[in-house]
Amino acid sequence: MWSDKNLQCLGHFITSPVILGHIRAASDGYNKLDQVVISHENCHPFKCGRYTFMHNGGISSFALIKREVCNLLRLENYLEIDGSTDSEHIFALFLNNLCSKDVQLPASAIAESLNQTIGTILEIGAAHNIGPSSLNITITDGVHVVVSRFRNSAISQPPSLYYSVGSQYSAKEGNFTIPEGTPNQIGTKNGILVSSCPLNKACVEGGYDVDHDTCGTIWRECYLLNI
């Protein structure tokens, strides 16, 4: 995206109450069982009905359980899969657990479907004795956002999720800041940004020393967040 001139031009004019960004390197193909295909069909985020989905991580040895995952899907959800990634199959399984992909549901129902999805993947993975998987996921219907931070490894923690609250997003001299609105800013509404890493590591609560006098943005570690 950093070399996409169209995005650089359009980005100045696009506004939305909810924006998803998934800017990452392509898979390195370390798992010889899984074919790596770089295509638009395999690019995040994935969308179906009201829902948009993106995933940071991977299902270990996905090729070994792909058929079983597909067998659980209703035909309508199976036919929505255009690519070959484990991520899109996770999304299809999530949709399979929803009562409807078109009706507005409460955040609790979306979170429960995500919990069921993760549980199913763990159950199938255990039956096939595959390794640990990372399932850091963001799902939104445009109104609610549910995110997860998950890895089923006994020896390593999952990549973290962080969030920060503020009203003005800006990048100055390589530092990303989100100052909160002040009382004299009439009509200012605070937003929330969730990311897989803090954009200013020096301003993190918990894992790093924080200088509250010099930090314009505080990133807080989170595990499950419903908006």
Side-chain angles (χ1 to χ4, degrees), residues 26-204:
S27 171
D28 60 6
Y30 67 91
N31 191 337
K32 295 181 179 179
L33 292 175
D34 296 333
Q35 182 180 7
V36 178
V37 178
I38 300 175
S39 66
H40 288 292
E41 291 78 11
N42 284 338
C43 288
H44 303 237
F46 302 104
K47 191 177 186 308
C48 181
R50 298 184 64 91
Y51 293 93
T52 304
F53 171 101
M54 60 186 184
H55 167 221
N56 172 25
I59 298 177
S60 180
S61 302
F62 176 62
L64 296 179
I65 69 169
K66 180 177 179 179
R67 181 175 180 180
E68 191 164 342
V69 170
C70 290
N71 287 339
L72 295 175
L73 302 176
R74 294 188 295 273
L75 180 60
E76 61 177 301
N77 295 320
Y78 176 77
L79 293 177
E80 290 286 351
I81 300 175
D82 293 325
S84 57
T85 64
D86 54 352
S87 301
E88 192 175 11
H89 285 75
I90 296 171
F91 184 34
L93 191 58
F94 164 82
L95 295 171
N96 209 68
N97 291 325
L98 286 177
C99 60
S100 172
K101 67 178 186 294
D102 299 307
V103 176
Q104 175 72 63
L105 299 174
S108 58
I110 301 172
E112 178 57 30
S113 177
L114 179 56
N115 286 334
Q116 292 177 9
T117 301
I118 293 175
T120 299
I121 293 170
L122 293 181
E123 184 178 347
I124 297 174
H128 290 266
N129 196 31
I130 66 174
S133 298
S134 292
L135 304 173
N136 303 313
I137 292 167
T138 300
I139 298 172
T140 181
D141 62 355
V143 177
H144 306 294
V145 178
V146 174
V147 298
S148 68
R149 172 186 187 262
F150 181 85
R151 180 173 173 83
N152 62 322
S153 170
I155 60 174
S156 64
Q157 291 294 315
S160 190
L161 289 176
Y162 296 87
Y163 73 95
S164 191
V165 177
S167 60
Q168 299 177 25
Y169 300 76
S170 64
K172 296 180 180 179
E173 298 180 355
N175 291 318
F176 190 85
T177 59
I178 314 175
E180 294 194 38
T182 59
N184 62 348
Q185 290 178 299
I186 299 175
T188 297
K189 293 183 179 180
N190 279 337
I192 186 167
L193 190 150
V194 182
S195 63
S196 57
C197 63
L199 300 185
N200 286 334
K201 288 189 176 181
C203 307
V204 177

